[in-house]
Amino acid sequence: MLAEIEIIEIFKSTAEEIEVEYEYSTDTFYDVQVEQKTNQWTLNLKLESLSKPLVKKSKRALFQSHIEKPKAFMCLWDGQIAGYLQVGHDIWNNRLRIWDLTVAKKFQRKSIGSKLMERALFEAKNCSARAVILETQ
């Protein structure tokens, strides 16, 4: 039986009590190696392993004041909260910025992230943004 996936918009007036938990882990990092020559600099990134995985966790409220024209969405998997998406329309350069995209650990690898990205692209088209920006950690 296939799960029902639903993406619903969250409005600022009802989101005050929502705190989104973020977590990621890695067992590698990039070591930056800088080399200076006569008229140039060379930067190389070398992938290195950590001795033990690094885990970062944080909580943050939706609709923070620095986000221009924010919109937030919740993804439900059979009625359970599976993930969140928050975007903002940067008016000055007409880009849609993906501020937050998170999927709960037990729902990862179930296409939730893809569904949230599809919603972000829909929002970009809806506001005629010229580009979509996503930064990662």
Side-chain angles (χ1 to χ4, degrees), residues 72-98:
F73 303 89
M74 176 188 301
C75 184
L76 300 176
W77 173 283
D78 284 341
Q80 297 179 60
I81 298 172
Y84 289 95
L85 168 70
Q86 182 168 217
V87 298
H89 185 198
D90 297 338
I91 300 299
W92 73 275
N93 58 7
N94 194 27
R95 297 187 308 190
L96 187 86
R97 180 178 298 274
I98 299 172

Side-chain angles (χ1 to χ4, degrees), residues 114-129:
S114 295
K115 296 288 185 194
L116 291 168
M117 283 298 296
E118 287 173 11
R119 182 58 188 241
L121 295 175
F122 173 82
E123 293 299 322
K125 289 177 185 172
N126 199 34
C127 69
S128 301

